[in-house]
């Protein structure tokens, strides 16, 4: 059997041995969501899984199976649920799923978890699922679980952003299917990127509120919120290096490695 | 972008075009469950995904992201929840998940679904999730969805079973992590099989009832319920050929292809 | 007050005394489901209740009130929900009901349970309800509950089946409203059987998958899946004797009686 | 097959015919609850079932299977959950159960329902279950369901109460396991009444509030709240006659029979 | 910072100090419900909040934020959900809300609760919410919580009722938006009462059952169930004095103050 | 009766008239959460209620009763649930509550909603509740509801922030109980602010991830995340003016007023 950081590829005695040695479980939180005409639906699956894989390798942890379906896409951060193919879960469903997974692994001895989110809208259902899991584990007499939860894109150096966006980084939310995600995909899965279909519309602009249903012209027709032109694998590399090194450092610090 | 039967690898306009052309959505139902010391935790993910992939290719369908976490393992069919690493969902969680996924795709135009189950215990939560989805879709005015639901192992020719088990096929349930699943894994992912660790215990024998908690000696220590000795990729090939051809035929029949 | 194995007919001090003496609680899981034109809707209530009653008498146990409403009927095993009069619960409702009942009795001192299922489709919601109950009881500090769960029809001798089906037993699932259930009803409640209405269609034949909604011709119009012709009370007696003696034996073995 | 007002004893074509003729479904709401040392646990099952049976006979309706488990017993009306043998459902469980039953029968053509409650604490979960059922049926396009819901003991003539309680009727709530219920049981199931065990304590007296947990001395040790001495089958007959005639009249009035 | 009995107006260290000193938490249960053309929608918010405030002042307790939305209005006690502006919660929602609030305060050290209900229909969802909260707190190791639950209108002297209703008190239920509530509002918030709009219809009369949907003529058009004519602030004062003094006494008795 | 923008202070015919005239319902989303030693627990109730009141006055709308209990406080934005007095709801509870409220008002004719959030952590449960409400309303045949959802603090002019924070605005999240909220409270409820207790600790600093449970030193002991020193009512006035004018403008734009 191959040596693997993916727990799915281990046998149960191998998993047990890793956990008994203090192994950290990394859970990538993904989504099946439109990412414009040039990117596949699994961008939010591939990216956090790749981050988890690299960090787990650094710290001797294990990557749990990625949650491939996430919380509903919002218009201002992901284009919204009206886009064909975006397939999402109700908040309660996702929270229960995260609760069940952590509760079960906790019952089997896992004590250290890192939830790495790759889909903005997952953040709060994940917070809730984690809270429900730890509450139930405490009732089951398991009181020593420690969990981290993070969005991988928050782990980037200021100078990297400045190198990528010399005119100033306009913020994370509109980066859906844009320069950052496209560059990361060019790095990790160039076979799934069709650069010839990158929209030429430029950045979307949203008012600071949700409006439901979205009025005409509110949504970008392409599903891309900012601008993916100029994406390069090298940019993806800069980002990925930051994500992995900074998250590794944070994990080491919090778990005393 | 590559041509792919995995919807995760398509862009949303590609998904939309496939669905508007009547494309069938195949949903592999998997699990993260112990499969003995010689097989990885993702057997029930890999096998139904492979079946879905092949059938979808045959009929021009799409494979949705596999559900990697399934319903709780039962001692008589999967070793039970007490095995380390087996990570499962409550029945309601899994049903809601399936409901949400089908409801969302239905809202986006998908009208034909095939749920292919690779983990015995998923069957009923999948039945319920499907029923909830169709109920909700009807309330949303979508009344023309057709869904098939099946266990892939039920699609096998009598002569194949006789060839594999010349002394008589002892039935599906105890095949957990045994000859059939091991042979299929040797076909599909030999890198994840460690034949040196196949247990030498022979078949388990269960009384015709559940007993909770399991009394001493009830569970096999290895997690393997029957016997995996003699597994060969060629056997996996015979089975896979049956599964794919027979399910393809059933799908064509029911959807009038 | 009469001596009774039905807990409903006891006063609370009598119930308490029985439980403190180690009395086992038998819970019959029934359904309100069509059983063809010749059988009443309560076949799945009467049969498991009768089995429970006889076994409880054998082992000094108590029969809890039968759950008269069960999980949704499936076309391949019960004709499906489209038949008028079939009145069923969502899976979650049934699981919660079973959870609540066992949790409450557990809180009052009951430690030994046997769930005897008389409606195929109840199996998994019962598994889940039982798991939820034991999980909650553990959180309430009650850790010594032992529960069995079974389908009564699995307790039959091979020779009995051969005597009833000299041409070979075609399997349990299609026995809905057929020879076995009709014979058992002729034994137990002949007043509720109208033999003149036994359909003359012969056995149904189903493909090895669910298809929803059922295509034309898929369902038997009568609601009977196999063949009830030839049913006799004597056959019912052979079966009932097996069910009761074999389940009694299993209960004695597991509870050390 | 016998002519029966119990739908459980009909075949599905008989049920269908009754419903198509406008048949009213009566649903008895019961409980499994302590009723003192002289009465069985099924008082709240037997009484509403008997009322339903008689009224259904009067108006040509059908009695659905009684709900044998009800909402939690409250100290001031039923002695509370601490009494051994009292086995109850969470409010949500009971509401979902009622929702599912009415929704299913509604889907099969039933349009007229009468819920007859025999356990005080069921009232509100039944109100909620009924509301949820009608809400879902409306969403399923079924908008002409009419439902009545009542406690049978509210249907009694003033002169009957005066005859029974010549010193003034002290009100319904404390009648748990007392003169009224005992007399009705002496009428209907004298075999289940042990008059020798009627407590001699006299009436309980409660403050006008719930207090949880109940302080010492708050609960009656016997589980009887008022006084069952002097119970007679004849009194039960007076009450039953009132219940049946007055409810029959109300049902006729509301359904225009 | 002002000295206040409303916990909302305290800082957290002040709240903590009060709780550590044994402070009782009073939770007013209100509703947003029509109260006729002469009263505002918040009658059921203002009245229990005022009672809580006065009792809390008497016993050194704290008033939690009032629950402004309650359970669904019933026709016989509040006019029903069909009245515009009546905005209510499903029973489960309200029970969960009460559960969460008490569980959280319990986790922070509160051990004594008094739920004072101002909206008849809230009673049972509050019973359930309280039961769920105490169940969860026990699982969290907190076993010494004591909770009272009451309807404030049950605390009134017989002589007060006789003074207000010299011809006999017709009972609480029809008092919705009638003499009692109007008088209390004239005492507490006369600015929100428009006496010129008091309906002149006289008392409603209901049969002893719910009927859904309400037949023509069943509901009072005004939303007032009895008669508000003759309401005076002085009457409100008599009632309020009884409510506050009698509830204060009950609270002191139960908590040993 | 007073003319009021608070729907709670209207009678039902007044509410109905307002809604029939197209009145917008504003729903303030609050919380009961610690806000340091110098501010009361109701900061997140008072602020969004005040914004709603002013905007509703500007556009002729109505303010629904404020939701006084919100989603769980997170350490990085509100100090976390460990602070005494912070009393919160599970995400599902809050979402259901918002669903029920909007569904009910929608059933009564309301078509325009603005949810104004005053507690950061409420954002996602509110998104979900709103989605569930609109989904259910569509199933009830109500398809023309339009809803806005916003955090009031996002409506502020750049120059205002620069005036308040001449050294640069450090971002919203850490403003919990700090300069902005304290200034707004000094404007609106100075009686509830105790400036002498403003902590002198300076700004907190958090890593870009959640860690549960919070390690020693992670949480500020005071519950204040940034710095409240220098708070003035005048600053509150600048902010409030921005919030009200900008939200009014957005509401007018979206609803075509």
């Amino acid at each position: 059997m191959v040596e693997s950081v993916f727990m799915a590829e281990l046998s149960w005695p191998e998993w047990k041995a890793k956990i008994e040695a203090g192994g950290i479980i990394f859970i990538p939180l993904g989504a099946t969501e439109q990412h414009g005409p040039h990117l596949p639906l699994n961008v939010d699956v591939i990216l956090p899984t790749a981050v988890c894989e690299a960090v787990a390798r650094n710290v001797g942890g294990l990557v749990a199976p990625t949650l491939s379906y996430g919380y509903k896409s919002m218009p201002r951060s992901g284009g919204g649920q009206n886009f064909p193919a975006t397939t999402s879960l109700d908040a309660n469903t996702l929270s229960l799923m995260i609760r069940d997974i952590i509760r079960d692994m906790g019952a089997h001895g896992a004590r250290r978890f890192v939830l790495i989110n790759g889909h903005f809208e997952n953040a709060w259902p994940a917070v809730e699922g984690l809270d429900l899991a730890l509450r139930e584990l405490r009732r089951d007499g398991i009181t020593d679980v420690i969990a981290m939860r993070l969005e991988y894109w928050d782990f980037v150096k200021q100078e990297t952003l400045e190198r990528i966006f010399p005119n100033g980084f306009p913020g994370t939310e509109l980066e859906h299917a844009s320069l950052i995600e496209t560059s990361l995909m060019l790095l990790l899965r160039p076979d799934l990127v069709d650069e010839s279909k990158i929209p030429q519309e430029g950045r979307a602009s949203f008012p600071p509120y949700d409006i439901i249903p979205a009025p005409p012209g509110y949504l970008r027709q392409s599903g891309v919120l900012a601008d993916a032109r100029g994406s390069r694998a090298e940019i993806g590399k800069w980002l990925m290096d930051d994500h992995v090194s900074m998250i590794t450092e944070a994990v080491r610090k919090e778990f005393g490695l």
Side-chain angles (χ1 to χ4, degrees), chain A:
Chain A
M1 197 169 286
V2 296
E3 181 69 20
S4 174
V5 294
F6 291 104
M7 71 172 258
E9 301 189 340
L10 302 185
S11 70
W12 73 262
E14 290 164 338
W15 187 90
K16 183 162 174 277
K18 288 267 193 187
I19 292 302
E20 286 175 353
I24 298 167
I25 297 281
F26 291 82
I27 307 181
L29 305 180
T32 296
E33 186 192 31
Q34 74 83 15
H35 276 75
H38 64 299
L39 288 176
L41 301 172
N42 63 4
V43 169
D44 291 354
V45 167
I46 288 171
L47 303 189
T49 305
V51 173
C52 281
E53 180 182 5
V55 178
R57 215 178 293 283
N58 285 346
V59 301
L62 289 175
V63 182
T66 303
L67 276 65
S68 303
Y69 300 91
Y71 182 57
K72 294 164 198 165
S73 177
M74 294 299 295
R76 290 195 279 162
S77 46
Q81 283 297 118
N82 284 338
F83 270 95
T86 295
T87 304
S88 309
L89 305 177
D90 281 1
N92 192 44
T93 305
L94 181 54
S95 294
L96 293 180
M97 200 184 166
I98 292 169
R99 178 200 67 177
D100 290 1
I101 289 168
I102 293 173
R103 185 184 55 204
D104 243 21
M105 294 202 200
H108 292 149
R111 290 293 176 271
R112 298 163 157 193
F113 295 92
V114 181
L115 281 68
I116 296 190
N117 184 21
H119 173 67
F120 175 71
E121 292 88 344
N122 284 342
W124 287 99
V127 163
E128 178 68 0
L130 193 51
D131 187 68
L132 296 178
L134 296 195
R135 181 197 291 172
E136 295 208 11
L137 283 167
R138 283 192 301 269
R139 290 178 183 162
D140 295 333
I142 296 170
T143 59
D144 54 345
V145 168
I146 299 177
M148 294 175 70
R149 200 205 61 75
L150 58 89
E151 280 70 41
Y152 71 77
W153 51 78
D154 287 332
F155 292 74
V156 62
K157 292 180 187 134
Q158 188 54 33
E159 64 248 37
T160 305
L161 289 175
E162 281 162 14
R163 192 155 33 148
I164 302 172
F165 299 97
N167 302 321
F169 178 50
T172 307
E173 274 191 20
L174 290 189
E175 273 307 306
H176 181 78
S178 302
L179 184 73
I180 283 178
E181 291 191 328
T182 305
S183 296
L184 284 163
M185 286 298 287
L186 283 169
L187 172 72
L188 295 166
R189 289 295 302 273
D191 58 310
L192 297 178
V193 184
D194 184 343
E195 294 181 79
S196 73
K197 294 199 176 137
I198 290 177
Q200 308 292 317
E201 298 166 296
R203 293 180 66 78
S205 162
F206 290 105
Y209 48 85
D210 300 323
I211 175 124
I212 309 166
Y218 186 88
L219 296 175
R220 304 296 295 271
Q221 267 198 303
S222 69
V224 179
L225 301 191
D227 200 339
R229 289 175 289 190
S231 298
R232 285 178 296 135
E234 187 188 24
I235 292 174
K237 178 89 171 55
W238 300 338
L239 290 161
M240 198 65 185
D241 285 349
D242 277 11
H243 300 332
V244 172
S245 64
M246 292 171 76
I247 296 174
T248 297
E249 183 182 18
V251 169
R252 285 192 173 130
K253 171 167 175 292
E254 295 297 340
F255 291 110
L257 306 178

